[in-house]
Structure formats: structure tokens, C-alpha cells
Amino acid sequence: MWSLCVLLLCVLLSLGQGRDHTEIFTRPGSSVTLHMRYQVTVDHQDTAKCDEIEWKWNNSATGFLLVKSRRCNVTKYVNKSVSNYEISEDGNLTLYNVTTESAGDYTVTVRNTIGTVLYTEDYTLHVHIPLSHVAANISCLPDGSAQASCWVDNGTNPSYSWSLDGKSLQGRSISTYSQISLPSPVSGNLTCNVTNNISDISKSIIIFCPVPLSDPLLRSSCLQNGSTEISCSVLNGTDPSFYLTVNGELLVDNYISPQRRVNHTVSLPGPWSVNCSVRNNISEKSATITDKTCPVPLSVPVVNYTCQADGSASVLCDVENGMDASYNWTVNGELIQRNNSNITLSNKEFGEKRISCSVMNPVSKKSSNETEIFCPAPVSDPVLNVSCLQNGSAVISCWVLSGTRPLFSLTVNGGLKVVNSSSSWAGLNYTESSGGPWNVSCSVRNQLRESVTGPSYHTCPAGASCLSCLEKSVMWGTVVLIVTTTPLIIASVYTVYSTKQSP
């Protein structure tokens, strides 16, 4: 219970010479004393010495005489708006258990016994309802800013003010509530203070609004084992939660990363599509990669080759596993820039060659072992010659001008005389002792080719002149010498060239 005059707020306003005005604020149910600043006498043995006092009340609608004291006799006039009051010996008016209907303007007038006005004072009584419990609401917006509201359910003429961590802020207020907008980032102790003339209450809330998320950065990297590493990150944003979906399957669910990043390795074969969604309390962003494919790692290549009929070699770099391979070749230590899986080595230089290949794609690089390749030269058509001797026998010769490791077969009168004979000089000699006639043919072959002479008929009568035999022997001997020498010269040149080219 409020004691008398505890809540009185008096503002003295001059209304003119000898007249005062007082503002009084109180709450319903309280008692209020309207003090005069003039000493009067309302109780005296000599009634002629008692001052005449009048207390009047009026509001905007009506006026009413409350108290009249004359010749020490006090008369009270009661109405339903101001019904519980009394006047003290010094002329002050005390109102008990005031209500909002008791509010209004009060005037006291003091006169002497002959009616002369000695003192007049005006009072304005405000009966205000105290403020009820204050409530506040805060909302974080998608852009990271915040909006706060503050209100009281009851109270006369509430006045609102805001502060964040003790720093005053400007809000927008009406009679029933107040609002304030706070730019991002928002954090701290937000206080709403509400006052009126008789009460003061406040509400404080710890506020924190998350920073909105930036657009996610989604990347993928092909690894050497054929799998794919997916990385999704955001530059800005508070407490992001990551959701990663690959080909419609959720692989990462509600992953919270203080580093604002998630990494995940996918071993699925491509093509595939990935979606990264990032969320926090106020925002959600996503990014997508579609039709992503990573090359399959390459296996170790193997060199295979096939010798052709012309003595060239068709070489293949065979890779069992992998895709999108590019090729490099090395022949006898020399790099050959041909991005093909197969190459052809010509027969210009017969003999062995050392060859290897290497393959690469975006995720792997492998090299084969070095392989030695040898393709023989094809045999030329055989040359057949029959030379008669004095005794009637014949020397049969068969040779080739070129070819690697030729094998000879000689047929005389339908019978094989020499089978698969090889010779260091690329030819053979055979002596037939009978006098003929002979049906002679010679065949020669190697890994690449086989050739046969047509049948040739010869006879050598006994005792025949030896001149022609000698001429023929000299002539064919010269030919044989040339044929025999030529491969040796070629072989020597090749050996010297190969030695120069070797590292």
C-alpha cells in the first residue's frame, strides 16, 4: 500500500501572480494528499478568525464542489467520482483509494472572513495504471539481420527504449508496443526498457542470429585409383549443415562442419551427378555437377608385334584396363612421337630392334618393359643353275639374292635330294653323277616367304667337250661369288650402324 505522498511528482508551474499549479501522478488504490503552500486556520475558538476554504474538482466533462469551510464549519460534498476524502486542520485535502475516475483538476481557494481571496492553487491529479509484465520477441531474418518487438499488456502511456550491450538504439514505438531492426551480424544482450510516470520495467534477452550462407563451391577431382573426391564448401555462414547426394543417393546427411567444408570419396563408375545442399537456421543454398566421369586407371602396357610379308613389323601397345590413353614409343632409345596404340617399323634395316611404349591418362601413367623385335627379310626368288662335268655328271646350284635364313629343297626327277638345307652363303650345290637327263627344281623359304623355280630339264653326255663346261663354271662361279659376298657386305654395314646407334 502506497503511503501518503510517496508517489507524488510535483511540477510547479506559474499561472500568474500568487497562483501555483502542481502535477501529481499516482496509481489506482493509493492515497494522495494535496498540500497547500499557505497556512490557514480552519479550527479556532473565535470562529470569526477561521479562514474560508473551498476545494473544487472538475474534469473535462463536469465540475464539483468537494469541501467548503466557513466560520470553522467544514461541509463535505460527495459524488461517485470523488467520494472518499477528508480535509485536515491545516486545510490540506487527502484522497483515499483513488481510481482513474478521481483524476482531474483540483482547485483550492482561501478567503478571509470578509471574502477577500488570500490564496489560490491548482492541482492536476493523474491516476495511471502501472505497467504489467514486459514481453519481447526476436526473429532472425534470412539476410542475417534481426527484428525485435517489445510490449506490455497493461499500463498507462508506456514509453519504450532499446539498448544492445549497453549501447542505446533507436526503435519505432506506438502506445502498445515497440519494434527495432538490427543489421547483420547480430549478437549480444538486447534490452527493452518500458516506463511511465509511476513504474519502470525492462526485459533483457541474449540474441544471436546466424550469418547467412554464401553459395556453395562444389568441386570434384579424379584420383589415380579411379575414384573421385568431391569437395563442397562455403566461404560464409554460421553452423552450416551439409547434405551430399550422388546419383540420387544421400551419402552425407546433416554433417555439421566448423570449417564449413565436407569431403567425400566416390568409387562409383561414371557418369554420375552430385548435389550439395548447405543449410543453417536462416538460409539454404545448393550446387550441382552433372554427367561427371573420371577415367579408369591404366594397367601396365604390353608390347606385341607381328612380322609382315615385306619384312616390316606391326607393333601393338596393348593395355588391358583403362580409358582415354595417350601413347609414346621408344625405339632403340629414340623417342617416337606417335599418339597411336600401334606403329609399323619398316624393313629398311633388317635386324633386331629394342622397343617400349608408355601410356597415360589424367589419373595414371604406366610404361612397358623393353621388347626386342626381329623380323627376317623375305627370300627372293631362287636362281637355279646346272653345270656339266667331263665325266657326264652335273653340279646343280640354287641360291637367292636376298632373304634371312633361307632353307633350300632340291628335287631331281621327282625325288628330294636336299631337304631344308641352310647355307651361310644363301645357296646350295649338289652333284648328280648319272648322265641325265634330269628334271630339276629348287624351292627356298624362310619365316616370311616361299618360292619355287619352274622345272628345268638338263643332260650332260659323257666325254662332252669341257670348253662350254669351263665357260659355264667360270661364269656361274663369278655369280656365286657375287651372291655370296653381297649379304656379307650388308650384314657388316648393319652391324657397324647398329653399334653407332646403341647408347
Side-chain angles (χ1 to χ4, degrees):
M1 189 69 181
W2 293 88
S3 60
L4 295 179
C5 301
V6 170
L7 295 178
L8 298 183
L9 299 176
C10 300
V11 180
L12 300 180
L13 299 176
S14 177
L15 299 180
Q17 185 176 5
R19 186 161 183 161
D20 296 324
H21 182 265
T22 303
E23 296 276 348
I24 301 174
F25 297 87
T26 189
R27 64 179 64 199
S30 64
S31 298
V32 178
T33 298
L34 308 182
H35 292 275
M36 288 192 299
R37 292 178 178 83
Y38 185 81
Q39 186 174 0
V40 298
T41 301
V42 294
D43 185 11
H44 199 278
Q45 293 181 354
D46 185 359
T47 58
K49 294 183 179 180
C50 289
D51 295 322
E52 182 178 326
I53 302 173
E54 286 183 353
W55 281 96
K56 293 182 179 180
W57 167 83
N58 65 83
N59 58 19
S60 58
T62 184
F64 189 78
L65 180 62
L66 296 177
V67 176
K68 187 172 183 179
S69 174
R70 190 173 185 182
R71 296 185 180 275
C72 298
N73 291 321
V74 178
T75 304
K76 296 172 57 178
Y77 304 89
V78 179
N79 66 19
K80 61 181 181 179
S81 296
V82 183
S83 59
N84 190 4
Y85 62 91
E86 67 180 19
I87 187 171
S88 62
E89 292 183 357
D90 52 4
N92 295 327
L93 180 67
T94 299
L95 306 175
Y96 297 100
N97 196 23
V98 297
T99 65
T100 55
E101 293 180 347
S102 304
D105 294 324
Y106 293 78
T107 301
V108 61
T109 303
V110 180
R111 297 181 178 88
N112 58 20
T113 55
I114 61 175
T116 302
V117 176
L118 302 177
Y119 175 78
T120 300
E121 185 172 355
D122 296 315
Y123 304 84
T124 299
L125 178 64
H126 304 274
V127 181
H128 284 181
I129 298 173
L131 299 170
S132 64
H133 174 73
V134 62
N137 180 58
I138 298 174
S139 299
C140 293
L141 303 181
D143 62 355
S145 63
Q147 188 174 73
S149 299
C150 179
W151 66 92
V152 290
D153 293 330
N154 296 298
T156 303
N157 297 334
S159 176
Y160 298 87
S161 62
W162 294 89
S163 65
L164 181 63
D165 292 334
K167 182 179 179 180
S168 297
L169 302 175
Q170 185 66 39
R172 301 180 302 276
S173 303
I174 60 175
S175 60
T176 56
Y177 70 96
S178 178
Q179 287 185 336
I180 190 170
S181 296
L182 303 172
S184 178
V186 181
S187 65
N189 186 5
L190 182 65
T191 300
C192 174
N193 191 68
V194 190
T195 63
N196 64 8
N197 294 102
I198 61 171
S199 58
D200 185 349
I201 57 176
S202 63
K203 177 72 173 181
S204 294
I205 299 177
I206 301 298
I207 181 174
F208 174 79
C209 284
V211 176
L213 297 166
S214 58
D215 291 329
L217 181 61
L218 181 59
R219 293 177 177 174
S220 63
S221 301
C222 297
L223 304 180
Q224 291 189 355
N225 61 2
S227 60
T228 303
E229 184 179 58
I230 299 172
S231 173
C232 185
S233 62
V234 289
L235 295 177
N236 299 308
T238 304
D239 298 333
S241 297
F242 290 87
Y243 302 81
L244 199 64
T245 303
V246 178
N247 288 344
E249 181 182 358
L250 184 63
L251 300 182
V252 176
D253 183 13
N254 195 24
Y255 175 72
I256 299 176
S257 171
Q259 293 76 30
R260 298 195 291 269
R261 173 183 296 272
V262 61
N263 294 320
H264 190 75
T265 301
V266 179
S267 299
L268 301 175
W272 43 260
S273 298
V274 58
N275 175 267
C276 177
S277 176
V278 191
R279 309 169 194 170
N280 65 8
N281 293 341
I282 60 172
S283 58
E284 178 177 355
K285 298 291 182 67
S286 64
T288 301
I289 296 177
T290 59
D291 297 330
K292 174 68 178 181
T293 301
C294 280
V296 176
L298 298 164
S299 58
V300 176
V302 177
V303 174
N304 296 309
Y305 73 95
T306 303
C307 293
Q308 305 299 319
D310 62 354
S312 63
S314 179
V315 189
L316 174 66
C317 186
D318 189 17
V319 181
E320 182 177 0
N321 296 313
M323 58 188 296
D324 300 333
S326 59
Y327 299 83
N328 279 321
W329 293 90
T330 302
V331 180
N332 291 336
E334 180 182 357
L335 180 65
I336 299 178
Q337 297 287 350
R338 295 180 186 174
N339 189 21
N340 296 312
S341 61
N342 61 298
I343 61 172
T344 299
L345 302 179
S346 68
N347 61 356
K348 291 182 179 179
E349 297 176 357
F350 298 105
E352 294 184 351
K353 297 178 176 63
R354 294 174 289 106
I355 189 168
S356 64
C357 73
S358 62
V359 293
M360 69 173 64
N361 66 7
V363 297
S364 58
K365 181 177 180 180
K366 299 293 176 63
S367 297
S368 72
N369 294 325
E370 190 174 66
T371 300
E372 292 185 351
I373 294 178
F374 175 81
C375 283
V379 294
S380 60
D381 293 333
V383 178
L384 179 65
N385 179 63
V386 178
S387 300
C388 294
L389 303 179
Q390 289 184 356
N391 61 2
S393 62
V395 177
I396 303 173
S397 300
C398 182
W399 69 88
V400 290
L401 295 177
S402 62
T404 304
R405 298 191 183 102
L407 297 176
F408 296 90
S409 296
L410 184 66
T411 302
V412 179
N413 291 334
L416 285 172
K417 300 300 182 181
V418 180
V419 180
N420 293 338
S421 173
S422 61
S423 172
S424 61
W425 62 273
L428 65 82
N429 288 321
Y430 176 76
T431 301
E432 182 65 47
S433 60
S434 61
W438 302 289
N439 184 359
V440 181
S441 66
C442 177
S443 68
V444 61
R445 64 183 177 87
N446 67 2
Q447 293 174 277
L448 300 178
R449 188 172 183 266
E450 181 176 359
S451 182
V452 181
T453 65
S456 178
Y457 294 91
H458 300 272
T459 183
C460 289
S465 173
C466 229
L467 179 60
S468 62
C469 294
L470 179 60
E471 292 174 350
K472 291 181 179 180
S473 297
V474 171
M475 179 182 67
W476 290 111
T478 302
V479 172
V480 168
L481 179 61
I482 295 172
V483 171
T484 305
T485 306
T486 302
L488 294 176
I489 294 173
I490 294 174
S492 299
V493 172
Y494 173 76
T495 303
V496 171
Y497 177 82
S498 298
T499 303
K500 291 181 177 181
Q501 295 295 319
S502 299

